[in-house]
Structure formats: structure tokens, C-alpha cells
Amino acid sequence: MRIPILKLHNYLLISIQTEIDDQTAIKFQEDLLAKIHKTGAIGVVIDLTSVDIIDSFIAKVLGDVVSMSDLMGARVVLTGIQPAVAMTLIDLGIHLQNVPTALDLEQGLVKLHQELGG
Amino acid sequence: MDENLKELIINNSDSIVDNWMDEVGRIKAGNYTASISDELYENTNREFVNVIFTSIQNQGSSKVVEEFSEKIINLGWPLSYITDGLQIFRRVTIDFLLAQADQVDSNHFSIVLTSVDEWIEPLIRQLVNEYSGSWENILSLQRVALQELSAPLIPVMERITVMPLIGTIDTDRAKLIMENLLEGTIKHNSEVVLIDITGVPVVDTMVAHHIIQAAEAVRLIGSTCILVGIRPEIAQTIVNIGIDLSKFLTRSTLKKGFTKALEITEREVVDLHAKNQGIEDIMHSLKGE
Amino acid sequence: MNPRSCVNIHKEWDIVGARQLGREMAKEIGFGTVDQARIATAVSELARNIYLYAKNGQVCFEYIYTNSQKGILMTAVDTGPGIKDISSVMQDGYTTSGGLGAGLPGVKRLMDDFDIESAVGEGTKIKAIKWIR
Ligand SMILES: Nc1ncnc2c1ncn2[C@@H]1O[C@H](COP(=O)(O)OP(=O)(O)O)[C@@H](O)[C@H]1O
Ligand SMILES: [Mg+2]
């Protein structure tokens, strides 16, 4: 299974619609970095509205992908984390401290636009 | 029900009611109703006996029964007021009917007993059901109200929501606060959420921990949390016990926090006075002409 | 009336199977969505630990009832290498695999009751209960 990555101008948009297993998560990490490299994207929005579970493994993959993209010059925003998911992450002690967030995809784009200044 | 007996009772309702009022009046002293004013007690008793007679006359008039039991609950009187009252009515009525008869044989005796029971029993059942039904109703309403009260969320304006916390915060309540906070933030699409702890009497490590977790969860779902209502003594304890709130936005008052929230959402309050001033100037200049 | 359902863990995909079963059973007995997520996440952590560190094992679920409460009990058992120092693996951030080290301490916080038994060379058994609020 592969998570589709859409390109919009300088941005990449990902909406995760399926239950993520470990392989899919790792594959996604590789795909996204390759796509950033290929397109020269400066911003990425990963929308998690439909994701109803994030355990420590997926959280690590997501946190890592944000840091890796940063290294490649693309800013990542996570959007749409559900209340139940946020609460379980807090219980796990995972705060994704350095990961920017926004309420939904649209606001994620606005946030990137503001931060990247155009 | 024996129609003759029924007629007899209805025709003599005055004396039955008198007897009943006497007896019920007597049980007042020294029990649950002792603290109730005599007037209220007597009025309610009169209403009660009316309900009994109404339901004898036209079987199954549930409206009055319903209203009466609701009234008893609202007064805060216990169920035993109703059951005692009906038992007394039963006894008074049986006494009265037996006293009316020229001669009392076992046959007549049993007819009287059965007839009176036939009336009273459905009424007891109905009243008790109504009473416990409305009681459960009230209880569940209050439970919901209490839950909402313990973690209310106020969408003060577009994109800004306030949660004022009042009272002690324990683990259960902290969970409820967190859930309401996150669900509400999403529901109102709030970019900024202000948690006001002005009304939280003590902020110890545990309370601080719960508040920090709530603020962190708010950030995860993509909103920004501002902690407001930090009184001097709270600022002191927070620093003294070594809690690090430096990652979070904090303000001493809701007012200051709200100003910050406006800034974050890129808005500002415009003073309309300036505009009025302009109009005054115009009026003035018009007058001058 | 009180069936016990288990998922064998030996390939990565079994982690997903285990958490789906856990969530399903939690929902069935009446847990709200937030607690369902908590339970499913805890299952995921325990199942992954079995897959990563013990290779083979089993995660089982059953409903439990007391006079005043009902809840779900999950048991994760494996015959892997076991854990030498339980108090250190229960600390946030402790990991031998480059993970986040959030799994075991996290499960303890996600659930209401938590119990771990382990013997080096024999395996590990973890029991965790969540009660319906
Ligand atoms: N079933 C198990 N068998 C053996 N060792 C385990 C098992 N579960 C956990 N451990 C050990 O405990 C450590 C902490 O586990 P955990 O809290 O889940 O964090 P992580 O999996 O991210 O390392 C693991 O790194 C591993 O060394
Ligand atoms: Mg783990």
C-alpha cells in the first residue's frame, strides 16, 4: 500500500486515508523525501484527519520525517490530529515538540504560507 | 369497583377528606415534613386528596398524577409522603365505609376491602412510577449539567474560545476537561484557546501537570493554548515547585490573554469613539455654517 | 458468555490485526471513542514489542466483571529473551532498539491496571486492564 503525495505549486499535500502499518509508514517516509528532492518543494502538509491511531512507532516516523524534510529545506505541518489521538500521544509521553501543527489542511497551508513568506 | 360504594364515597368526600387531613396532619410532627410550614403542608395535602378523588372519579387521569408527583419532587419531599398519604386514605376510607353499613358481615367487609384496594393500588403504582421516573430524569439532567459545568467552553468570537476553570481539579475532572477542550476546539474551529485558571484555588504539581498536558494536546490538534488567570501566588508556587511553563503562552489576566489571542489571529479592537468624534466634528461644522 | 480472543503475533501485519481486534472488543463492551483509541494504542505497543524483541507471541483479550465495574483485560505473552531490569524498561525514553522508549511506560498510563512479569531466557507476560468509566 502506498500513500499518495500531491504537488501544488511549491507545496506537497498528503492526506492519509488508511490505517497505517509499519511498512506503509516507512515507505511513505522514503517516498516523501524523494519527492521533496525531485520537486524542490518548500512546504509539506500532512493531513491526519482520518487517522484514528498513532502509536509510538508511527509517531517516531512522523517526527523523523519532519526533521528530515527540514534538513532538506522543506517545512512540514501536521494537520487534523484527532482529539482521541492527541490524548493517547500525551499518555505515551510523546509531545512532537518541534513539529508544527494546524487544525486542518487549509489552515496548514495558510501557516506554511505565512512562515515561508510567499 | 362497586358503584354504590363509589357513590357513597364521592357524596361523603367532605368528611373523608376531613378525617384524612386530620391523620396526615398528625404524622407531620417528628418526621421528614416537620420543617415545612403548616400552610404549605396543608395546601399540598389538599391538593393530594384532590388528586386522589379526581383519579377515583375518572379512572386513569394521568395528567394530574404526573403534575402532582413532579411537584412533590420539586418540593424535595420524599416518596414516603406519597405512600403514607395513600395508606392513610385507604384506612380512612375503609373505616368510613364500614361505619356506614347497618351491619357488617364478612361478605360486606371483603367487598369494601377489595373495592378500596382496586382504587388505591393503581394510584400507588402510578404515583410511585411517576415519582421515580421524574426523579431519574432530574438526576440525569443534573449529571449532564454538572459535567458541562465542570468544563464549560465558550466560543467568545470566531477562532477564539475560552475555558474558565472553577474549583478543584482531580484526575477524573482533568480527563473531562481535556476531552471537552479538544472536542470544542475542533467543533468551533478555534485557532486560540484560553484556559482561565482564575477560579482554581490551588495549583500544585498535579494540577499543573494536568493543565500542561491539556495545553500540549491542544497544540497537537493544531490550535494554540494561552494560560490565563495566573495570580501572583500561583506564579510563586509554580516557580517554587519547579514547574516549567516557559514553553507555553501565559498571561496574568483573561483580558491580556484575549489581546494576545487577537494578535495571533491577526485582528485588533478598533475604538469606535474616534469615528464618533469625527461625526461630532461634522455636526459642529454644520452648525457653524 | 466470556470468550477469550487471541491474535498470534509473528509477522508485522499481525500488529494491525491485534489492535483492530482490541478496538472492536472495546467498542462492543461500551468504551467511548477516546478509550477505544487508548486501548488500541496500548495493544499496538505490546504487539510491536513482541514482534521486535521476542519474534513470537500472542495477545489475548477478555471482558472482566466485578460487582461494580466492567472492563477489558489484555494479556501479551511471549517466549522471547525476557527483560533483565524491569524498572529501567518502565522508564520513559529507555530503548534498546532506537525507538522512542515510550511503549511500556505509555501502556501503563493508557490503561488503568498494569502488571509485568518477565524471566531472562523464558519470556515476558504483560497484563493490562482498562475499566469503563
Ligand atoms: N516483550 C519483550 N521482550 C523483551 N524485551 C522487551 C519486550 N518489550 C520491551 N522490551 C524491552 O524494553 C524496552 C522498552 O520498550 P518500549 O517501552 O516499548 O520502548 P521501545 O520499544 O521504543 O524501545 C525495549 O527497547 C526492549 O529492550
Ligand atoms: Mg515498544
PDB file of all heavy atoms in Angstrom, chain A residues 56, chain C residues 45 49-50 52-54 78 81-83 89 94-97 99-105 124, ligand 1:
ATOM      1  N   SER A  56       3.623   4.729  19.231  1.00  0.00           N
ATOM      2  CA  SER A  56       4.938   5.359  19.342  1.00  0.00           C
ATOM      3  C   SER A  56       5.772   5.152  18.083  1.00  0.00           C
ATOM      4  O   SER A  56       6.600   5.985  17.737  1.00  0.00           O
ATOM      5  CB  SER A  56       5.673   4.843  20.582  1.00  0.00           C
ATOM      6  OG  SER A  56       6.019   3.476  20.444  1.00  0.00           O
TER       7      SER A  56
ATOM      8  N   GLU C  45       1.363  -1.154  20.969  1.00  0.00           N
ATOM      9  CA  GLU C  45       2.678  -1.112  21.615  1.00  0.00           C
ATOM     10  C   GLU C  45       3.132  -2.504  22.069  1.00  0.00           C
ATOM     11  O   GLU C  45       4.275  -2.904  21.828  1.00  0.00           O
ATOM     12  CB  GLU C  45       2.636  -0.167  22.826  1.00  0.00           C
ATOM     13  CG  GLU C  45       2.362   1.304  22.488  1.00  0.00           C
ATOM     14  CD  GLU C  45       3.458   1.938  21.635  1.00  0.00           C
ATOM     15  OE1 GLU C  45       4.591   1.416  21.593  1.00  0.00           O
ATOM     16  OE2 GLU C  45       3.173   2.958  20.979  1.00  0.00           O
ATOM     17  N   ASN C  49       6.193  -4.775  20.500  1.00  0.00           N
ATOM     18  CA  ASN C  49       7.310  -5.246  21.320  1.00  0.00           C
ATOM     19  C   ASN C  49       7.527  -6.748  21.127  1.00  0.00           C
ATOM     20  O   ASN C  49       8.665  -7.204  21.037  1.00  0.00           O
ATOM     21  CB  ASN C  49       7.072  -4.926  22.796  1.00  0.00           C
ATOM     22  CG  ASN C  49       7.360  -3.461  23.106  1.00  0.00           C
ATOM     23  OD1 ASN C  49       7.809  -2.716  22.233  1.00  0.00           O
ATOM     24  ND2 ASN C  49       7.088  -3.050  24.328  1.00  0.00           N
ATOM     25  N   ILE C  50       6.426  -7.503  21.067  1.00  0.00           N
ATOM     26  CA  ILE C  50       6.571  -8.946  20.840  1.00  0.00           C
ATOM     27  C   ILE C  50       7.258  -9.181  19.492  1.00  0.00           C
ATOM     28  O   ILE C  50       8.233  -9.918  19.389  1.00  0.00           O
ATOM     29  CB  ILE C  50       5.192  -9.656  20.871  1.00  0.00           C
ATOM     30  CG1 ILE C  50       4.611  -9.609  22.277  1.00  0.00           C
ATOM     31  CG2 ILE C  50       5.326 -11.111  20.385  1.00  0.00           C
ATOM     32  CD1 ILE C  50       3.230 -10.217  22.406  1.00  0.00           C
ATOM     33  N   LEU C  52       9.118  -7.165  17.718  1.00  0.00           N
ATOM     34  CA  LEU C  52      10.501  -6.674  17.647  1.00  0.00           C
ATOM     35  C   LEU C  52      11.474  -7.479  18.505  1.00  0.00           C
ATOM     36  O   LEU C  52      12.580  -7.791  18.073  1.00  0.00           O
ATOM     37  CB  LEU C  52      10.569  -5.218  18.120  1.00  0.00           C
ATOM     38  CG  LEU C  52      10.080  -4.116  17.184  1.00  0.00           C
ATOM     39  CD1 LEU C  52      10.248  -2.758  17.865  1.00  0.00           C
ATOM     40  CD2 LEU C  52      10.864  -4.133  15.876  1.00  0.00           C
ATOM     41  N   TYR C  53      11.048  -7.776  19.739  1.00  0.00           N
ATOM     42  CA  TYR C  53      12.029  -8.307  20.687  1.00  0.00           C
ATOM     43  C   TYR C  53      11.904  -9.792  20.946  1.00  0.00           C
ATOM     44  O   TYR C  53      12.851 -10.412  21.418  1.00  0.00           O
ATOM     45  CB  TYR C  53      11.932  -7.547  22.022  1.00  0.00           C
ATOM     46  CG  TYR C  53      11.976  -6.046  21.831  1.00  0.00           C
ATOM     47  CD1 TYR C  53      10.890  -5.243  22.173  1.00  0.00           C
ATOM     48  CD2 TYR C  53      13.099  -5.428  21.268  1.00  0.00           C
ATOM     49  CE1 TYR C  53      10.923  -3.873  21.981  1.00  0.00           C
ATOM     50  CE2 TYR C  53      13.132  -4.063  21.071  1.00  0.00           C
ATOM     51  CZ  TYR C  53      12.038  -3.276  21.419  1.00  0.00           C
ATOM     52  OH  TYR C  53      12.070  -1.934  21.222  1.00  0.00           O
ATOM     53  N   ALA C  54      10.730 -10.372  20.687  1.00  0.00           N
ATOM     54  CA  ALA C  54      10.556 -11.783  21.020  1.00  0.00           C
ATOM     55  C   ALA C  54      10.240 -12.644  19.795  1.00  0.00           C
ATOM     56  O   ALA C  54      10.208 -13.868  19.905  1.00  0.00           O
ATOM     57  CB  ALA C  54       9.463 -11.949  22.069  1.00  0.00           C
ATOM     58  N   ASP C  78       4.916 -13.800  25.537  1.00  0.00           N
ATOM     59  CA  ASP C  78       5.874 -14.297  24.554  1.00  0.00           C
ATOM     60  C   ASP C  78       6.895 -15.199  25.233  1.00  0.00           C
ATOM     61  O   ASP C  78       6.986 -15.239  26.453  1.00  0.00           O
ATOM     62  CB  ASP C  78       6.564 -13.143  23.819  1.00  0.00           C
ATOM     63  CG  ASP C  78       7.453 -12.310  24.741  1.00  0.00           C
ATOM     64  OD1 ASP C  78       8.430 -12.855  25.287  1.00  0.00           O
ATOM     65  OD2 ASP C  78       7.173 -11.100  24.895  1.00  0.00           O
ATOM     66  N   PRO C  81      13.382 -13.376  24.787  1.00  0.00           N
ATOM     67  CA  PRO C  81      14.563 -13.300  25.645  1.00  0.00           C
ATOM     68  C   PRO C  81      14.270 -12.841  27.078  1.00  0.00           C
ATOM     69  O   PRO C  81      15.125 -13.007  27.956  1.00  0.00           O
ATOM     70  CB  PRO C  81      15.444 -12.262  24.936  1.00  0.00           C
ATOM     71  CG  PRO C  81      14.494 -11.420  24.173  1.00  0.00           C
ATOM     72  CD  PRO C  81      13.395 -12.341  23.735  1.00  0.00           C
ATOM     73  N   GLY C  82      13.102 -12.275  27.298  1.00  0.00           N
ATOM     74  CA  GLY C  82      12.802 -11.780  28.639  1.00  0.00           C
ATOM     75  C   GLY C  82      13.454 -10.437  28.899  1.00  0.00           C
ATOM     76  O   GLY C  82      14.237  -9.938  28.079  1.00  0.00           O
ATOM     77  N   ILE C  83      13.118  -9.818  30.027  1.00  0.00           N
ATOM     78  CA  ILE C  83      13.643  -8.496  30.362  1.00  0.00           C
ATOM     79  C   ILE C  83      14.425  -8.591  31.666  1.00  0.00           C
ATOM     80  O   ILE C  83      13.934  -9.085  32.668  1.00  0.00           O
ATOM     81  CB  ILE C  83      12.487  -7.485  30.505  1.00  0.00           C
ATOM     82  CG1 ILE C  83      11.772  -7.319  29.155  1.00  0.00           C
ATOM     83  CG2 ILE C  83      13.003  -6.138  31.001  1.00  0.00           C
ATOM     84  CD1 ILE C  83      10.459  -6.595  29.232  1.00  0.00           C
ATOM     85  N   VAL C  89      13.173  -0.587  31.928  1.00  0.00           N
ATOM     86  CA  VAL C  89      12.327  -0.535  30.715  1.00  0.00           C
ATOM     87  C   VAL C  89      11.022   0.219  30.971  1.00  0.00           C
ATOM     88  O   VAL C  89      10.366   0.657  30.026  1.00  0.00           O
ATOM     89  CB  VAL C  89      11.980  -1.936  30.130  1.00  0.00           C
ATOM     90  CG1 VAL C  89      13.227  -2.681  29.730  1.00  0.00           C
ATOM     91  CG2 VAL C  89      11.122  -2.766  31.076  1.00  0.00           C
ATOM     92  N   TYR C  94      13.575   4.881  27.681  1.00  0.00           N
ATOM     93  CA  TYR C  94      14.532   3.774  27.662  1.00  0.00           C
ATOM     94  C   TYR C  94      14.240   2.866  26.471  1.00  0.00           C
ATOM     95  O   TYR C  94      13.141   2.360  26.308  1.00  0.00           O
ATOM     96  CB  TYR C  94      14.447   2.961  28.957  1.00  0.00           C
ATOM     97  CG  TYR C  94      15.401   1.782  28.969  1.00  0.00           C
ATOM     98  CD1 TYR C  94      16.698   1.904  29.468  1.00  0.00           C
ATOM     99  CD2 TYR C  94      15.005   0.544  28.435  1.00  0.00           C
ATOM    100  CE1 TYR C  94      17.570   0.836  29.441  1.00  0.00           C
ATOM    101  CE2 TYR C  94      15.878  -0.535  28.403  1.00  0.00           C
ATOM    102  CZ  TYR C  94      17.156  -0.380  28.910  1.00  0.00           C
ATOM    103  OH  TYR C  94      18.022  -1.446  28.880  1.00  0.00           O
ATOM    104  N   THR C  95      15.246   2.650  25.612  1.00  0.00           N
ATOM    105  CA  THR C  95      15.048   1.784  24.464  1.00  0.00           C
ATOM    106  C   THR C  95      16.354   1.099  24.103  1.00  0.00           C
ATOM    107  O   THR C  95      17.424   1.666  24.292  1.00  0.00           O
ATOM    108  CB  THR C  95      14.513   2.568  23.244  1.00  0.00           C
ATOM    109  OG1 THR C  95      14.404   1.685  22.137  1.00  0.00           O
ATOM    110  CG2 THR C  95      15.433   3.721  22.866  1.00  0.00           C
ATOM    111  N   THR C  96      16.248  -0.131  23.612  1.00  0.00           N
ATOM    112  CA  THR C  96      17.457  -0.810  23.143  1.00  0.00           C
ATOM    113  C   THR C  96      17.429  -0.928  21.624  1.00  0.00           C
ATOM    114  O   THR C  96      18.281  -1.559  21.034  1.00  0.00           O
ATOM    115  CB  THR C  96      17.548  -2.228  23.737  1.00  0.00           C
ATOM    116  OG1 THR C  96      16.370  -2.946  23.380  1.00  0.00           O
ATOM    117  CG2 THR C  96      17.681  -2.190  25.249  1.00  0.00           C
ATOM    118  N   SER C  97      16.404  -0.314  21.004  1.00  0.00           N
ATOM    119  CA  SER C  97      16.238  -0.513  19.564  1.00  0.00           C
ATOM    120  C   SER C  97      16.186   0.779  18.780  1.00  0.00           C
ATOM    121  O   SER C  97      15.819   0.795  17.619  1.00  0.00           O
ATOM    122  CB  SER C  97      14.950  -1.300  19.312  1.00  0.00           C
ATOM    123  OG  SER C  97      13.845  -0.497  19.680  1.00  0.00           O
ATOM    124  N   GLY C  99      14.087   3.081  19.385  1.00  0.00           N
ATOM    125  CA  GLY C  99      12.700   3.554  19.370  1.00  0.00           C
ATOM    126  C   GLY C  99      12.567   4.774  20.252  1.00  0.00           C
ATOM    127  O   GLY C  99      13.574   5.389  20.617  1.00  0.00           O
ATOM    128  N   LEU C 100      11.325   5.128  20.588  1.00  0.00           N
ATOM    129  CA  LEU C 100      11.126   6.282  21.453  1.00  0.00           C
ATOM    130  C   LEU C 100      11.192   5.895  22.929  1.00  0.00           C
ATOM    131  O   LEU C 100      11.253   6.745  23.802  1.00  0.00           O
ATOM    132  CB  LEU C 100       9.777   6.944  21.161  1.00  0.00           C
ATOM    133  CG  LEU C 100       9.652   7.673  19.818  1.00  0.00           C
ATOM    134  CD1 LEU C 100       8.243   8.211  19.651  1.00  0.00           C
ATOM    135  CD2 LEU C 100      10.660   8.811  19.695  1.00  0.00           C
ATOM    136  N   GLY C 101      11.151   4.576  23.190  1.00  0.00           N
ATOM    137  CA  GLY C 101      11.135   4.141  24.589  1.00  0.00           C
ATOM    138  C   GLY C 101       9.874   4.580  25.312  1.00  0.00           C
ATOM    139  O   GLY C 101       9.860   4.733  26.528  1.00  0.00           O
ATOM    140  N   ALA C 102       8.804   4.775  24.549  1.00  0.00           N
ATOM    141  CA  ALA C 102       7.556   5.278  25.136  1.00  0.00           C
ATOM    142  C   ALA C 102       6.529   4.170  25.328  1.00  0.00           C
ATOM    143  O   ALA C 102       5.498   4.376  25.967  1.00  0.00           O
ATOM    144  CB  ALA C 102       6.971   6.369  24.245  1.00  0.00           C
ATOM    145  N   GLY C 103       6.821   2.986  24.775  1.00  0.00           N
ATOM    146  CA  GLY C 103       5.823   1.914  24.742  1.00  0.00           C
ATOM    147  C   GLY C 103       5.349   1.445  26.109  1.00  0.00           C
ATOM    148  O   GLY C 103       4.178   1.630  26.466  1.00  0.00           O
ATOM    149  N   LEU C 104       6.246   0.834  26.873  1.00  0.00           N
ATOM    150  CA  LEU C 104       5.825   0.248  28.150  1.00  0.00           C
ATOM    151  C   LEU C 104       5.328   1.287  29.151  1.00  0.00           C
ATOM    152  O   LEU C 104       4.226   1.137  29.696  1.00  0.00           O
ATOM    153  CB  LEU C 104       6.945  -0.615  28.731  1.00  0.00           C
ATOM    154  CG  LEU C 104       7.245  -1.895  27.923  1.00  0.00           C
ATOM    155  CD1 LEU C 104       8.420  -2.656  28.525  1.00  0.00           C
ATOM    156  CD2 LEU C 104       6.012  -2.794  27.853  1.00  0.00           C
ATOM    157  N   PRO C 105       6.096   2.369  29.408  1.00  0.00           N
ATOM    158  CA  PRO C 105       5.541   3.371  30.330  1.00  0.00           C
ATOM    159  C   PRO C 105       4.236   3.967  29.797  1.00  0.00           C
ATOM    160  O   PRO C 105       3.340   4.294  30.575  1.00  0.00           O
ATOM    161  CB  PRO C 105       6.641   4.430  30.423  1.00  0.00           C
ATOM    162  CG  PRO C 105       7.574   4.162  29.307  1.00  0.00           C
ATOM    163  CD  PRO C 105       7.441   2.719  28.945  1.00  0.00           C
ATOM    164  N   THR C 124       8.185 -13.080  28.522  1.00  0.00           N
ATOM    165  CA  THR C 124       7.566 -11.948  29.194  1.00  0.00           C
ATOM    166  C   THR C 124       6.050 -12.084  29.146  1.00  0.00           C
ATOM    167  O   THR C 124       5.502 -12.547  28.149  1.00  0.00           O
ATOM    168  CB  THR C 124       7.985 -10.632  28.493  1.00  0.00           C
ATOM    169  OG1 THR C 124       9.419 -10.564  28.475  1.00  0.00           O
ATOM    170  CG2 THR C 124       7.427  -9.414  29.194  1.00  0.00           C
TER     171      THR C 124
HETATM  172  N1  LIG D   1       8.379  -8.462  25.024  1.00  0.00           N
HETATM  173  C1  LIG D   1       9.642  -8.032  25.266  1.00  0.00           C
HETATM  174  N2  LIG D   1      10.670  -8.909  25.360  1.00  0.00           N
HETATM  175  C2  LIG D   1      11.922  -8.472  25.606  1.00  0.00           C
HETATM  176  N3  LIG D   1      12.257  -7.174  25.767  1.00  0.00           N
HETATM  177  C3  LIG D   1      11.280  -6.256  25.695  1.00  0.00           C
HETATM  178  C4  LIG D   1       9.934  -6.619  25.445  1.00  0.00           C
HETATM  179  N4  LIG D   1       9.185  -5.499  25.437  1.00  0.00           N
HETATM  180  C5  LIG D   1      10.025  -4.478  25.665  1.00  0.00           C
HETATM  181  N5  LIG D   1      11.297  -4.910  25.823  1.00  0.00           N
HETATM  182  C6  LIG D   1      12.467  -4.055  26.128  1.00  0.00           C
HETATM  183  O1  LIG D   1      12.017  -2.859  26.745  1.00  0.00           O
HETATM  184  C7  LIG D   1      12.491  -1.718  26.041  1.00  0.00           C
HETATM  185  C8  LIG D   1      11.483  -0.613  26.124  1.00  0.00           C
HETATM  186  O2  LIG D   1      10.310  -0.951  25.403  1.00  0.00           O
HETATM  187  P1  LIG D   1       9.308   0.182  24.977  1.00  0.00           P
HETATM  188  O3  LIG D   1       8.964   0.969  26.177  1.00  0.00           O
HETATM  189  O4  LIG D   1       8.200  -0.448  24.226  1.00  0.00           O
HETATM  190  O5  LIG D   1      10.165   1.129  24.026  1.00  0.00           O
HETATM  191  P2  LIG D   1      10.772   0.823  22.577  1.00  0.00           P
HETATM  192  O6  LIG D   1      10.018  -0.332  22.011  1.00  0.00           O
HETATM  193  O7  LIG D   1      10.540   2.078  21.831  1.00  0.00           O
HETATM  194  O8  LIG D   1      12.209   0.533  22.776  1.00  0.00           O
HETATM  195  C9  LIG D   1      12.764  -2.210  24.638  1.00  0.00           C
HETATM  196  O9  LIG D   1      13.719  -1.426  23.985  1.00  0.00           O
HETATM  197  C10 LIG D   1      13.228  -3.638  24.885  1.00  0.00           C
HETATM  198  O10 LIG D   1      14.601  -3.663  25.219  1.00  0.00           O
END
